Amino acid sequence: MSIVFVFDRRSGNEPEHFISLGGLFSFSEFRQTVTEDFGLSDQKFVIATTGRVEIRDDDTYERFVDDGTTLYLLHDINQELTAQATERVAFLPHYDTLVKSGIYEYYASAGHNPLPYAFAELIDNALAATAKNSGPREIELRLFMDNDPSKTVICVIDNGKGMTSRELNQWAIYRLSKFSRRSTDELGNTSNESTHDETEDEHIPRSLNSDISYFGVGGKQAVFFIGTSTRMISKPKGSIDVHELLVSKEDFEQKERNKEAIYEGYIRNRKAGDASHLCGNNLDCMRDLISAERGKDQFTAVVITGIPTAHVHYLRYGFNIWCTQLANIYHYYIHGQDGNVATAAHSRAANPLKNINVELKMYSRGQIQPKVLNLRDIEEDMQTLFIRSAANTFEFRAKVEGTGIVEGIIRYHPFLFDRETYPDDFFDPREVEVEDEHDHDYTIPASGRGHHAIFNCFWNGRLIPYTTVEEFSWCAQPKKTKLIPQECWNRISGVLWTNAKFQVSTNKLTFLDLEVRLKDKNTVFTRIINGQERRANIDKQFLDWLKECHEQSDKQVKFSEFKGQITRPALPKNKQGPWAVYEEIQWDGRTYQKGDMIKTCRTAPVLYGRVNRFLLFGDHDGEVFATGGEIELQQEPHYFYDEVKYVPLFKLDRSAPQDVITRAIEEDKSKLPEKLIISWPEGEELKDGEKVPAGRTIGAIKAEIMNKKGELISKLPGSGSSQAKKRLLIELTVIWHSRNGDEIIASHISSHGTNWPYWFKKMENIRKMGPHTLNLQVCLSESGVTSLADTKLPSAKYRFTVTEANAVRFIVGMLDGPFRIGSPFNVPLEFQDMFGNLTKYPASVKPLLAASGLELSYGWSISRGNTLLVNDIVALGTVQTNAGKVLH
């Protein structure tokens, strides 16, 4: 029943009156009820809210009067209160406190997608629920993926002890921790929900006690970060009933609109396999899940829907990534206290922790079989990589003031010949793929741990991902040490395991007090050997162990045949020198010397060449064992690659046989230009040995360069700053072989463009008589070099002879005078082409003689070579002067 509280503050200090709103649907009815309750039939008053809004009509009554409202009776709206009045308020949190709690808890996930950490909260609950199983502990994460994200369903199912309806109700209470939660059986017996006796912690290796469902927060935060609705289905051991609770953002919003109690709902109690309450066509996976309940003695299933599109995309396409993250979080629960050590033939080792199986299945619409992955089969998680790459370990224990227990281990990851074996972080953006040779940083490769802290931290056996511990004073790198190289400290990783006596955040992402307590002056560290404490100075024990690891496990390179030191001005200032020069190295039982032919790996492109020398950064003056170093390499064939390359030593391909290197170099040699292909696309082809008349057009020439592989090329192989020098040109020259020597009468150079071939325009000006040569020669860039490695670059020659062209004019030769009327005389005529070259008399041409005022005739004509002799010319007529006549 709705009630309002009304204080009469016109005068006096009367307590409030309780006025029921039942049946009062208008302001007039409400005012009449107040008047009667206070006995005010003939008195003037106003009704006001505590915010001094006057209730005076149906509108203000509807808007401001509701269940639990406090009101005043006053003389007027501005009257001062004659006494204090109390107003009831409710402190129930808004439902966003629950449905958005996961967003607030997981939003800052150090650049990683936080979904795996949300899943981890649900797996924590499942591990706690299965802790007392007598048989296998089965935990299954099922994903039903749909192209429509709104139809995607995620289920987390375990075969643990299940929950009674009372326990299910307690689960739903936000921040009801295990310390406040009590379970009640059907006989009314109660017990605390902790899964183990904390006094036994000291005897549980790595604190793998499964007591990681803790605060009454994580599960709710997780489900509402993953989706917007969750259905909790559980059957406790020994019960015949299944209990089901639905909590959703949509339900909260509906209750708010209906002004219903937000934090009230119903637990549905039903028989196993009963899905009659499900309505809708998109719940097939839910019906299958409920159908599978039959025959199960105990279980809990968390069913989440309303998955955001971004989550669906990540779950589908980042499957291996987030599965690997989960395998890392629960590594020691999955594999036991020693972790995922390598086994024969990669067989799966037995798990000492009651055979915990965490299996992930992803069903996709249209696919018959799901994608299945067991976390125990993952071998790429960081803990597996750390364990399997370690050559030695240093175990210790820390006794913290109070009952805190910390077990620890340090692992040594040795340098093996060409690389550090410290694993690259699966999520580390520093990891770089194959480098281009032009992006050479000239640094010693693989610095090992680098900027990473030494220790990852586990709480009750599971990873707390955002807390790492850099180091302790006894394992920190000293300022000076002569016996152990500094890089050895970059080759260690570590793990700390704590029990529940250390505080973690409610989302289990960070420790709150671990490092501070461990570095307290009262904390005592002791080395553990074969399970027994070795009481001695741990600082010295650690240094002795590290020195032993370096001497026995690191495999480095021996540099010999020392030739002095150099500086390299082209490098960054801090890397210019000194560089020690060596002509020989010994590496893993193999010797490499100056002049050896080698192959590189992990360079783009792969390089083949001859060793000039080996370079080692540092102030060395003789033989030395060291890591890193570089090779000064003359790439082969050297006439293609005229630059000296500097390659980090770890990029030397030690597995490449000499015949492979030789074949690769010969393959490069086959790219050398072999021949010219000449064509005359516009006709007027010039043929070798041809005789051509002066002035005849020689057609446009198209030239192509072909290598031994039959490929058309325009430049030599190779790259780098000398690339422009490797461009191939074709030079055309026309040489006239005159009596006085050879003379170049035409010269042109053609380059190859993106959109045009080698091309020479037609020539029309060759007019000098005699033998000629048209020469097409491949040359290297503008340098004019026409050979490589004593091999002549291809060329093409066309020898031709220029002859006289057709006669177009003549000149009169020497005449024997004087000439008289009626006396015969002869006239010699010499014929020329258009360029003035003497040419043959054209037989089709007949002499025609004319002179002004005379009649001319001739007897006969005869040609001799380039001359036509007109004989017995007779002139008849009158000549007025001795000046004579002009003869035509």
Side-chain angles (χ1 to χ4, degrees):
M1 179 181 296
S2 297
I3 296 174
V4 296
F5 308 97
V6 183
F7 288 87
D8 185 356
R9 285 298 178 261
R10 294 175 300 162
S11 61
N13 186 24
E14 280 191 48
E16 73 270 34
H17 287 212
F18 297 80
I19 306 294
S20 172
L21 297 179
L24 306 180
F25 302 108
S26 66
F27 172 67
S28 60
E29 293 174 338
F30 175 68
R31 183 181 175 89
Q32 180 61 36
T33 300
V34 171
T35 300
E36 293 174 356
D37 190 81
F38 281 89
L40 306 174
S41 59
D42 57 350
Q43 299 180 36
K44 180 181 178 182
F45 64 92
V46 298
I47 304 174
T49 67
T50 56
R52 295 302 177 105
V53 174
E54 183 177 353
I55 309 301
R56 58 189 177 191
D57 51 30
D58 287 345
D59 178 56
T60 53
Y61 176 69
E62 178 69 24
R63 290 166 57 197
F64 297 105
V65 178
D66 204 350
D67 183 34
T69 303
T70 298
L71 300 172
Y72 301 145
L73 299 184
L74 304 171
H75 290 299
D76 59 72
I77 198 66
N78 295 317
Q79 177 202 320
E80 289 186 349
L81 295 178
T82 58
Q84 296 180 356
T86 57
E87 181 175 6
R88 289 167 174 79
V89 294
F91 292 97
L92 282 176
H94 192 271
Y95 60 82
D96 274 354
T97 306
L98 180 58
V99 300
K100 292 185 178 180
S101 61
I103 297 175
Y104 303 143
E105 290 289 342
Y106 295 109
Y107 80 98
S109 294
H112 303 160
N113 191 303
L115 266 178
Y117 305 134
F119 284 141
E121 289 287 356
L122 303 180
I123 295 175
D124 286 350
N125 293 345
L127 283 172
T130 59
K132 296 184 178 180
N133 282 19
S134 57
R137 302 166 66 180
E138 303 290 348
I139 300 170
E140 187 176 331
L141 176 57
R142 297 182 192 173
L143 292 80
F144 298 90
M145 311 301 289
D146 197 284
N147 294 331
D148 181 355
S150 65
K151 298 178 182 178
T152 293
V153 179
I154 296 174
C155 304
V156 180
I157 307 167
D158 67 68
N159 67 340
K161 64 180 182 178
M163 289 182 282
T164 65
S165 59
R166 181 185 295 273
E167 290 168 335
L168 187 56
N169 182 21
Q170 291 177 341
W171 174 90
I173 300 174
Y174 192 59
R175 289 193 179 274
L176 181 63
S177 75
K178 73 166 189 174
F179 305 107
S180 304
R181 200 181 308 161
R182 311 281 294 179
S183 65
T184 305
D185 61 22
E186 300 304 321
L187 299 176
N189 301 314
T190 62
S191 63
N192 190 280
E193 285 202 5
S194 180
T195 59
H196 80 291
D197 182 355
E198 291 183 1
T199 61
E200 298 178 355
D201 268 351
E202 191 168 354
H203 307 293
I204 299 177
R206 311 309 192 203
S207 296
L208 294 166
N209 52 41
S210 299
D211 198 20
I212 47 180
S213 177
Y214 220 71
F215 301 105
V217 174
K220 273 77 76 178
Q221 291 174 345
V223 296
F224 281 110
F225 177 77
I226 298 169
T228 60
S229 174
T230 182
R231 190 184 298 266
M232 298 293 298
I233 307 174
S234 190
K235 181 184 179 186
K237 184 176 183 179
S239 172
I240 61 173
D241 297 328
V242 174
H243 309 296
E244 183 175 326
L245 171 66
L246 176 64
V247 183
S248 72
K249 179 181 178 182
E250 181 182 3
D251 184 49
F252 289 146
E253 291 172 344
Q254 181 66 40
K255 289 177 179 178
E256 183 182 49
R257 286 192 296 269
N258 296 340
K259 298 181 180 179
E260 299 174 1
I262 301 291
Y263 292 103
E264 292 183 4
Y266 298 93
I267 291 176
R268 185 180 301 275
N269 301 311
R270 57 177 176 79
K271 65 180 182 180
D274 181 3
S276 60
H277 58 294
L278 298 180
C279 300
N281 298 322
N282 300 321
L283 298 174
D284 290 344
C285 61
M286 272 296 305
R287 293 187 178 92
D288 292 343
L289 180 67
I290 292 176
S291 177
E293 295 172 353
R294 298 184 181 94
K296 292 184 178 181
D297 183 46
Q298 58 187 34
F299 67 87
T300 296
V302 183
V303 184
I304 306 170
T305 55
I307 317 297
T309 302
H311 287 358
V312 173
H313 184 274
Y314 175 73
L315 292 172
R316 186 190 298 271
Y317 298 106
F319 183 80
N320 290 333
I321 294 175
W322 60 263
C323 289
T324 303
Q325 284 181 276
L326 288 175
N328 197 48
I329 293 171
Y330 296 106
H331 182 93
Y332 297 97
Y333 276 106
I334 297 167
H335 300 288
Q337 68 183 64
D338 295 326
N340 190 13
V341 295
T343 55
H346 298 285
S347 60
R348 181 189 288 180
N351 188 326
L353 297 177
K354 298 183 181 177
N355 201 16
I356 295 175
N357 281 308
V358 183
E359 194 165 70
L360 300 94
K361 294 182 179 179
M362 184 167 69
Y363 298 80
S364 297
R365 183 173 293 279
Q367 295 182 2
I368 299 176
Q369 297 296 327
K371 187 173 185 177
V372 181
L373 183 61
N374 192 297
L375 292 189
R376 293 185 65 199
D377 295 329
I378 294 175
E379 298 185 345
E380 296 80 27
D381 64 286
M382 288 308 302
Q383 286 303 310
T384 296
L385 298 179
F386 281 130
I387 291 167
R388 294 190 176 185
S389 63
N392 206 336
T393 58
F394 182 95
E395 293 195 48
F396 62 93
R397 178 173 295 176
K399 293 186 177 180
V400 181
E401 193 169 14
T403 57
I405 298 172
V406 178
E407 294 177 83
I409 191 171
I410 297 177
R411 303 184 176 106
Y412 190 80
H413 309 276
F415 183 93
L416 296 181
F417 306 114
D418 62 341
R419 63 188 177 89
E420 298 283 359
T421 59
Y422 187 100
D424 290 323
D425 192 333
F426 186 80
F427 302 100
D428 190 351
R430 299 178 306 158
E431 186 170 352
V432 180
E433 297 297 327
V434 173
E435 302 171 15
D436 186 271
E437 62 172 320
H438 307 304
D439 191 28
H440 199 307
D441 58 7
Y442 294 100
T443 58
I444 293 174
S447 60
R449 178 165 54 88
H451 65 269
H452 293 283
I454 294 177
F455 297 100
N456 294 124
C457 302
F458 287 72
W459 175 81
N460 280 351
R462 66 97 88 189
L463 178 69
I464 304 300
Y466 294 166
T467 292
T468 57
V469 175
E470 180 67 31
E471 60 192 12
F472 302 114
S473 59
W474 52 267
C475 62
Q477 180 179 339
K479 293 181 179 180
K480 292 183 180 181
T481 176
K482 294 183 179 180
L483 298 177
I484 306 174
Q486 293 182 355
E487 57 265 25
C488 290
W489 273 267
N490 264 340
R491 295 174 185 154
I492 59 175
S493 68
V495 178
L496 301 175
W497 293 272
T498 81
N499 63 0
K501 293 302 180 179
F502 294 85
Q503 298 181 38
V504 295
S505 59
T506 56
N507 56 15
K508 303 191 188 88
L509 295 180
T510 56
F511 274 95
L512 302 182
D513 61 348
L514 176 61
E515 188 163 7
V516 172
R517 293 178 64 186
L518 281 173
K519 293 186 176 181
D520 185 271
K521 63 180 180 180
N522 295 318
T523 300
V524 177
F525 291 91
T526 308
R527 186 178 183 185
I528 304 296
I529 299 179
N530 297 325
Q532 301 298 316
E533 292 187 355
R534 182 68 60 87
R535 296 189 178 277
N537 185 322
I538 196 170
D539 302 64
K540 184 178 184 304
Q541 290 183 90
F542 174 76
L543 288 176
D544 290 344
W545 172 81
L546 191 62
K547 181 175 181 290
E548 178 184 322
C549 289
H550 171 63
E551 293 174 348
Q552 296 183 3
S553 301
D554 287 337
K555 306 296 183 182
Q556 299 178 302
V557 180
K558 180 183 179 181
F559 289 79
S560 55
E561 298 298 323
F562 176 72
K563 296 300 177 183
Q565 294 182 348
I566 63 170
T567 58
R568 299 167 66 183
L571 297 185
K573 189 173 181 179
N574 64 337
K575 280 292 180 182
Q576 290 181 0
W579 287 85
V581 178
Y582 296 89
E583 291 188 347
E584 181 179 288
I585 62 170
Q586 295 177 26
W587 191 356
D588 195 19
R590 184 172 174 181
T591 299
Y592 298 87
Q593 297 175 321
K594 176 182 177 180
D596 285 354
M597 302 296 292
I598 63 169
K599 171 181 177 284
T600 68
C601 59
R602 289 179 282 179
T603 60
V606 171
L607 306 178
Y608 298 85
R610 191 178 303 276
V611 175
N612 285 345
R613 55 187 177 178
F614 300 97
L615 302 174
L616 181 63
F617 184 73
D619 188 13
H620 307 287
D621 59 0
E623 289 188 356
V624 65
F625 285 87
T627 62
E630 295 186 7
I631 308 168
E632 184 180 281
L633 178 71
Q634 173 59 60
Q635 195 173 357
E636 293 288 346
H638 65 273
Y639 45 79
F640 284 169
Y641 310 102
D642 54 0
E643 287 184 296
V644 172
K645 301 288 186 181
Y646 294 91
V647 182
L649 193 58
F650 76 96
K651 294 188 178 182
L652 171 63
D653 188 348
R654 296 181 291 120
S655 64
Q658 280 300 309
D659 61 330
V660 171
I661 297 174
T662 302
R663 280 200 304 270
I665 294 174
E666 290 300 320
E667 174 75 9
D668 257 3
K669 288 181 179 178
S670 70
K671 298 175 184 177
L672 187 73
E674 184 180 45
K675 64 179 179 179
L676 271 175
I677 300 174
I678 305 298
S679 59
W680 312 79
E682 298 176 358
E684 298 177 312
E685 177 182 356
L686 176 66
K687 296 181 179 180
D688 189 39
E690 185 177 4
K691 293 183 178 181
V692 299
R696 198 205 87 172
T697 299
I698 296 177
I701 299 173
K702 176 185 176 183
E704 296 173 298
I705 305 172
M706 181 177 288
N707 63 21
K708 293 181 180 180
K709 300 176 69 174
E711 301 167 337
L712 297 178
I713 60 174
S714 61
K715 61 182 180 181
L716 294 178
S719 58
S721 59
S722 62
Q723 184 62 32
K725 299 178 183 178
K726 300 178 185 295
R727 215 160 37 101
L728 295 175
L729 306 177
I730 299 179
E731 182 179 17
L732 179 149
T733 55
V734 179
I735 304 172
W736 175 40
H737 305 292
S738 70
R739 293 178 181 177
N740 298 324
D742 292 347
E743 179 184 341
I744 296 177
I745 61 175
S747 178
H748 304 285
I749 292 179
S750 176
S751 61
H752 193 283
T754 305
N755 300 316
W756 66 86
Y758 296 105
W759 187 272
F760 297 95
K761 296 180 180 178
K762 63 184 179 180
M763 293 177 284
E764 301 174 332
N765 58 350
I766 299 178
R767 61 185 70 176
K768 295 182 182 292
M769 303 285 287
H772 291 69
T773 299
L774 186 151
N775 188 45
L776 291 160
Q777 175 67 55
V778 176
C779 55
L780 187 58
S781 188
E782 285 79 6
S783 65
V785 175
T786 59
S787 62
L788 282 176
D790 302 325
T791 300
K792 189 77 173 175
L793 292 175
S795 63
K797 290 186 178 181
Y798 294 84
R799 298 172 179 83
F800 64 97
T801 302
V802 177
T803 62
E804 65 274 13
N806 294 330
V808 296
R809 61 175 178 263
F810 64 85
I811 59 175
V812 178
M814 297 295 293
L815 300 177
D816 295 329
F819 303 106
R820 294 178 177 85
I821 294 298
S823 297
F825 61 91
N826 299 328
V827 176
L829 302 177
E830 293 181 349
F831 285 85
Q832 297 178 342
D833 60 19
M834 63 185 298
F835 304 109
N837 300 315
L838 293 175
T839 187
K840 292 181 180 180
Y841 160 68
S844 61
V845 177
K846 302 297 182 184
L848 177 63
L849 306 177
S852 176
L854 296 177
E855 178 182 339
L856 298 177
S857 64
Y858 70 94
W860 55 281
S861 63
I862 186 171
S863 63
R864 294 175 181 171
N866 300 323
T867 302
L868 177 67
L869 183 63
V870 182
N871 297 299
D872 296 338
I873 299 173
V874 177
L876 300 177
T878 303
V879 178
Q880 300 296 331
T881 68
N882 60 2
K885 296 290 186 177
V886 178
L887 176 64
H888 297 283

